[in-house]
Structures are given as structure tokens and as C-alpha cells.
Amino acid sequence: MIRRIAIIGLGTMGPGMAARLARGGLQVAAYDVAPTAIERARSMLSAAETVLDALGIASPSAGVGMVRFTDDIGDAVSGADLVIENVPENISVKADVYRTIDGLIASDTIVASDTSGIPITKLQAHISHPERMVGMHWSNPPHIIPMIEVIGGERTAPQTVATIRELIRSIGLLPVVVKKDVPGFVENRVLYALLREAVDLVERGVIDPEDLDTCVSWGIGYKIAVIGPMALLDMAGLDIYKSVSSFLNADLSNRDDVAPMVLEKTNASKFGIKSGEGMFSYTPEQTKALQGERARKLVAVRRILEGRG
Ligand SMILES: NC(=O)C1=CN([C@@H]2O[C@H](COP(=O)(O)OP(=O)(O)OC[C@H]3O[C@@H](n4cnc5c(N)ncnc54)[C@H](O)[C@@H]3O)[C@@H](O)[C@H]2O)C=CC1
Ligand SMILES: Cc1ncc(C(=O)O)c(C(=O)O)c1O
């Protein structure tokens, strides 16, 4: 039974995850190596709590479901039934965390990684109880998106996968078990196929970035929340898919490196919202307004999709 959770890494993903788990009645200890990240996480936690209120996900009764911040990793993981590693997408940074916590956690503590797509089999080589390591891939923003992928590596015990799937289900979220430990799992394989084509179309001047977003959001995006890709094939007709894919697949981007447009921007430290410029530009005021507006719209859409509109 999982009651106490430690979250290691409080950047983009950690605070929303902590807020949502606490609303599920869990005791959460939240740690980051950077004091500034802990400070920022406090206000991100409170913003996430406001959104959870709007989603109608109530606080549990007093005394359960709390988030406690700490700047001591030993304190964070002490007594934890589950540790969720949430540090940057880099095997050596993640391996350092596993080595640090290895001697601090009980042999039956489950260690989950929120990796976007590093195979769990690679990560579990760095921990002394690999049968207790599992992928728990949340989607951004983690307090709003209900689906979480659960991935076992070659050495993960089936019971570890089952425990995490049950935990997710028990707090009202939607676990999806990925049956093979492929890079990117499922969500990011699909997303990155879309992003590769989108970046390629903008880079080749086929469309402007704003129009690309209008096309995808109001075309594919709007309907795909209601009709998933497999159901969409049946709606369009497999005969149509056969005809179009017979000439189109060969023309789609198949580049296997990072697109020059993305390299140019990242080399100039243009990372997007977090640096104020990426594909678009953002002032701090615009960022705040955008985040509020996006949360409001995602909450409204989720309520409708769940039949609670
Ligand atoms: N950003 C996104 O949309 C998503 C990211 N992920 C994955 O989640 C993980 C975390 O991603 P983000 O939150 O975006 O990263 P981030 O870069 O925003 O935050 C990472 C945090 O980890 C901290 N950190 C670094 N080394 C640490 C250590 N040794 N001990 C404790 N804290 C440490 C940093 O100070 C930072 O606050 C990555 O594996 C990423 O691929 C998963 C889903 C979505
Ligand atoms: C661009 C991008 N990359 C990775 C992820 C992830 O799920 O790991 C996301 C996301 O939205 O969650 C993403 O947008």
C-alpha cells in the first residue's frame, strides 16, 4: 500500500504532480537540489491547487494529503513507499540520483521515473533493486492531464507495474500500461512523429508557425480528444487511409536528427516559455496570462469530456 511519496526534482513537472498526489490523500515530500527551484515550486504548487479546485478535485480530510518541502534528500525519501524521480532527461543525472537514494530507501520502496522516453531497462541498471523500478510517465501539465503511462523494464517485477497502475487508478487518474519498453513509450512516439512533421513544414516554409498551430489545434487536435487515432481510422474509412498513405507516407519527414531550426534556437538559449523566447516570444506578463488561460480552457474541456460540463 502506497501512502508516502517522495518527489525528487521540482522543475516543470514536480509541483503539479505533488499537488495532484496530495489531493489523492497521499503524504508527499518534495525535494530539489536547487533552493531556487524549491521556492518557485511553492508558488507553482499553490497555482496547481487553484486549478484542482476548479476541476472539482477536492482536498481530502484534514491530516492526509499534504505536501512538505525539504532541502534534504535523506529526509525526503525516509520512510517513502514510492520515490518519483523527476530530474532532467539525462541518464547520468538520473543515475546519480538513484545512487544517492540507494542506501537511503528500504529494499521494498518503489522507484519510479517520469522519464519522457529513456527505456526503463537502461535506467534500472543503476539501482540495486531493479525489480522495484518502473516508468511512471505523466503528461504536462501533470495536475490537469489524467493519463499516466506505466512502463516496466526487462527487470521490473510485474507486481511493481500492478502496484503503480492501482495507485493511479485509486486516486481517480487513468493508467495506461505500455507492454514493451520502447524509447519514447507510446505517448511521445506519437507526439514526436507529429512534432517532427510540424517542425519540418514550418522549416520548409510550407506554413507559418501560428497557422500550423491553428491547423492542428482546430483540425486534428479538437477531434482527437473525442475520437482517438484507431477510432478515427474507422471513421474516415480504412480504404481512404490505404489510398492516402500509399502516396503520402513516402513524402513525410523521416529525418533522424534534430532539425536545424530547433538547434539554431537552442544554441541561442531560446528554449520557449522558460527563457522568454522559442518558437514565439513571451513577456513575463504574457506568460502568466497564457498559463491562466490555458489552465481555464483545459479544465473546461476536461469537464465536458468527462460529462460534467
Ligand atoms: N517538461 C515536460 O513537458 C515533461 C517532462 N517530463 C520528464 O520529466 C523529467 C523532469 O522534467 P522537467 O520537470 O521538465 O525538468 P526541469 O528541467 O524543468 O526540472 C528538473 C528539476 O530537477 C532538479 N534537479 C536536477 N538535478 C537534481 C538532483 N540531482 N536532485 C534533485 N533535483 C535535481 C533541477 O533543479 C530542476 O528543478 C524529465 O525526465 C522529463 O523528460 C515528462 C513529461 C513532460
Ligand atoms: C514536447 C514534449 N516533450 C515531452 C513531453 C512528455 O510527455 O514527456 C511533453 C508533454 O507534453 O508532456 C511535451 O510536450
Side-chain angles (χ1 to χ4, degrees), residues 7-15 17 31-38 40 44 73 85-90 92-94 96-97 100 113-118 136-142 187-188 191-192 274:
I7 297 182
I8 310 297
L10 304 174
T12 304
M13 297 297 286
M17 197 182 284
Y31 164 81
D32 197 289
V33 74
T36 49
I38 297 182
R40 198 182 48 225
M44 288 170 74
I73 192 164
E85 168 277 303
N86 213 17
V87 303
E89 190 76 345
N90 174 308
S92 70
V93 176
K94 290 183 185 294
D96 267 352
V97 170
T100 305
S113 176
D114 181 35
T115 173
S116 293
I118 301 171
M136 186 182 189
H137 176 229
W138 299 61
S139 201
N140 189 19
E187 190 189 27
N188 276 333
L191 174 63
Y192 277 70
K274 66 177 95 173

